[in-house]
């Protein structure tokens, strides 16, 4: 995770948003620069230092519920966290945190992602990169 925080695999995300200004609906874009966000001193102590231990206290997708959203002032995810089962015979399902990050549950064990403000190498919330797990597993193999 620290490797991806300091060397972002993706430069940023561009999201389209709708707003209403006066009586006319308008659309706009929001650009999230992943590397700059992941190194913002508002979210990390010593953001330019490589420190894998910083994640021992970072919140994960399983930790984030509606109460956590209110506590940090985030809007909630537009999708309800309703799990859906996988169809390959395992006792597993996919669900999402109140922030919108999707994670797996298999045999009553959660496999959460780091889902904290300031960790953005794969984007945020329900717009997060679907290939994150694959990328992480690839790098584990590469480094071992």
């Amino acid at each position: 995770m620290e490797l991806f925080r300091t060397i972002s695999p993706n430069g940023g995300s561009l999201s389209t948003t709708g707003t209403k200004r006066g009586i006319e609906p308008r659309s706009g874009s929001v650009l999230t620069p992943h590397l700059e966000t992941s190194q913002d001193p508002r979210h990390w102590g010593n953001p330019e230092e490589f420190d894998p231990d910083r994640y021992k206290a970072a919140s994960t997708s399983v930790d984030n519920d509606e109460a956590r959203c209110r506590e940090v002032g985030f809007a909630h995810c537009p999708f309800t966290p309703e799990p859906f089962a996988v169809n390959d015979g395992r006792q597993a399902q996919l669900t999402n945190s109140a922030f919108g990050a999707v994670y797996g549950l298999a045999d009553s064990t959660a496999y959460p992602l780091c889902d904290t403000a300031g960790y953005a190498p794969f984007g945020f919330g329900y717009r997060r990169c679907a290939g994150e797990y694959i990328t992480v597993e690839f790098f584990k193999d590469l480094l071992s």
Side-chain angles (χ1 to χ4, degrees), residues 101-126:
V102 176
Y103 64 99
L105 295 165
D107 297 321
S108 302
T109 301
Y111 294 91
L113 299 163
C114 182
D115 196 17
T116 187
Y119 183 74
F122 297 95
F124 290 107
Y126 66 95

Side-chain angles (χ1 to χ4, degrees), residues 5-143:
R5 188 190 69 82
T6 57
I7 304 170
S8 188
N10 184 347
S13 297
L14 181 64
S15 300
T16 303
T17 182
T19 63
K20 190 168 185 177
R21 190 177 205 176
I23 59 171
E24 294 183 36
R26 299 178 187 255
S27 64
S29 298
V30 176
L31 177 64
T32 305
H34 294 180
L35 185 60
E36 289 84 354
T37 302
S38 291
Q39 295 184 350
D40 192 316
R42 292 177 289 179
H43 304 296
W44 305 108
N46 302 320
E48 295 185 18
E49 181 180 309
F50 188 84
D51 178 15
D53 290 336
R54 74 176 73 236
Y55 297 97
K56 289 181 177 178
S59 64
T60 65
S61 47
V62 77
D63 301 323
N64 294 326
D65 56 12
E66 293 298 326
R68 179 78 175 132
C69 286
R70 285 190 298 277
E71 178 186 329
V72 298
F74 283 170
H76 67 84
C77 175
F79 307 113
T80 58
E82 295 178 23
F84 61 91
V86 299
N87 291 328
D88 64 0
R90 293 179 292 158
Q91 295 296 316
Q93 55 189 227
L94 297 175
T95 190
N96 59 289
S97 73
F99 293 175
V102 176
Y103 64 99
L105 295 165
D107 297 321
S108 302
T109 301
Y111 294 91
L113 299 163
C114 182
D115 196 17
T116 187
Y119 183 74
F122 297 95
F124 290 107
Y126 66 95
R127 297 261 179 169
R128 197 168 181 148
C129 177
E132 179 173 3
Y133 277 128
I134 295 169
T135 305
V136 170
E137 292 304 316
F138 172 78
F139 270 88
K140 284 181 186 177
D141 287 345
L142 179 72
L143 294 172

